[in-house]
Amino acid sequence: MSALRPLVVAHRGESRDAPENTLAAVRLAWQRGAHAVEIDTRTSSDGVPMVVHDPDTRRLESVHRAVGELTARELSAVDAGRWKGSTWAGERVPHLAEVLATVPSTGKLFVELKEGPASVPPVLAAWRASGLAASQVLFMCFQRPTVAALAAAVPAGCEVALLLETRAWRPPAALADALRFAREHRLAALNLQASVALDADIVSRIHGAELAVHCWTVNSLRVARRLTAARIDGITTDRCAWMRTGLGQT
C-alpha cells in the first residue's frame, strides 16, 4: 500500500487543464508535483502501444477511424489537442514509450490496458525498455482475461490491479467474487469506481485481503475527504494539483 495516503493520481494526466492522454497533460501533471499519473493504452495495427482512450478517433478529429486499424505513424499524426482549444493544437497521440520516458525517479505510472490479452506483451515490452523500476508502474484493466495475462507475465514487485465499476454493484457477492479473482491471480490492488457503494466497510474488507484500494474518478473534495477517511489508498482525479492542495498534501 502507498506510504502517502491517499496517493492522488492524475487522470489521463492533468486532464482538466490539458488534453487528456497527451504528453502535454502528463508533463503538466509532473510539473505540478503529481506523484502518480494514469494513462490509457491501445495497440496500433502494427503492434505499437499508443496512449489513447477511445477505440476510435471521433473525439479527436472529424474523421471517424478505428485506432486498431491505424499504424503507429498514422496515430502519431492525429491532432489530440485541438478539441481542447487552439492553445493545444498540434498535440499528438503519443507512444506509450514516450509517456514512460517522462516519469521522474519519484513518479509512478498507472497504465490501463483497454484491450484483450494480446495487448499485454507489447505493453510490457515498452515498460521493460523504459528502464523504469517495477515499483514505478501499476498495470490494470477491466477485462479479467487481460488482468490474468498481466499477472502471469509481470515480475515480482510489479503491481497489477483489477478495475471495477461499482455503481450497479450488489455487495457483498460482487466484492467476494472480485476478492476471489484477486487472490487467484495474486493481484496487488482493486481500483473501483468511486460511487456511493464504495464505503469504509468495503475498503476495510479489501484491506483485510491484503490488497490496496484505489478509486476513480473523483473531482469533489467532499467525496475525496470521505474516501480519505475510509482509508482509501489512491484517488484518481482530473485535477491532481487542486486535489492534493485540498487534501492538505502541499
Side-chain angles (χ1 to χ4, degrees):
M1 297 177 190
S2 170
L4 175 69
R5 178 175 283 162
L7 188 70
V8 180
V9 183
H11 183 230
R12 307 176 192 172
E14 191 76 324
S15 56
R16 181 180 185 270
D17 296 331
E20 64 178 51
N21 279 321
T22 62
L23 290 174
V26 171
R27 287 171 175 154
L28 184 61
W30 299 133
Q31 289 166 10
R32 291 181 175 179
H35 295 110
V37 170
E38 181 270 350
I39 51 93
D40 305 287
T41 64
R42 291 184 180 275
T43 310
S44 68
S45 64
D46 49 345
V48 178
M50 307 295 291
V51 178
V52 59
H53 179 272
D54 295 355
D56 57 63
T57 62
R58 181 174 56 86
R59 281 201 301 137
L60 303 180
E61 59 180 1
S62 57
V63 181
H64 183 167
R65 299 186 289 172
V67 168
E69 296 177 0
L70 299 175
T71 66
R73 183 174 182 178
E74 289 171 326
L75 284 165
S76 293
V78 173
D79 191 325
R82 185 176 295 276
W83 68 271
K84 189 77 171 179
S86 58
T87 301
W88 305 105
E91 280 296 318
R92 303 298 175 184
V93 174
H95 292 217
L96 174 59
E98 294 177 290
V99 173
L100 287 163
T102 72
V103 181
S105 60
T106 57
K108 185 164 188 170
L109 194 67
F110 283 45
V111 181
E112 180 184 345
L113 283 70
K114 304 298 288 185
E115 299 168 314
S119 65
V120 170
V123 166
L124 294 185
W127 161 60
R128 290 188 177 99
S130 75
L132 290 180
S135 60
Q136 289 186 273
V137 288
L138 179 147
F139 298 105
M140 57 190 184
C141 187
F142 284 99
Q143 300 177 38
R144 293 193 180 193
T146 302
V147 174
L150 281 165
V154 298
C158 193
E159 296 178 312
V160 176
L162 174 66
L163 281 158
L164 294 162
E165 293 185 9
T166 59
R167 185 173 293 126
W169 251 28
R170 295 293 182 268
L175 178 57
D177 175 64
L179 292 178
R180 279 193 300 271
F181 180 84
R183 183 168 55 251
E184 177 184 355
H185 295 285
R186 299 181 182 179
L187 304 186
L190 299 182
N191 195 341
L192 289 75
Q193 183 180 21
S195 69
V196 293
L198 180 55
D199 58 18
D201 178 63
I202 288 179
V203 173
S204 178
R205 290 182 63 190
I206 298 171
H207 281 163
E210 300 184 345
L211 295 165
V213 193
H214 302 290
C215 68
W216 52 277
T217 301
V218 179
N219 293 312
S220 160
L221 279 176
R222 177 184 59 81
V223 173
R225 287 168 180 154
R226 174 180 69 81
L227 292 167
T228 298
R231 299 187 62 78
I232 201 87
D233 294 291
I235 294 175
T236 300
T237 177
D238 296 326
R239 307 176 67 185
C240 185
W242 171 85
M243 180 67 74
R244 289 180 57 232
T245 298
L247 293 178
Q249 292 188 358
T250 58

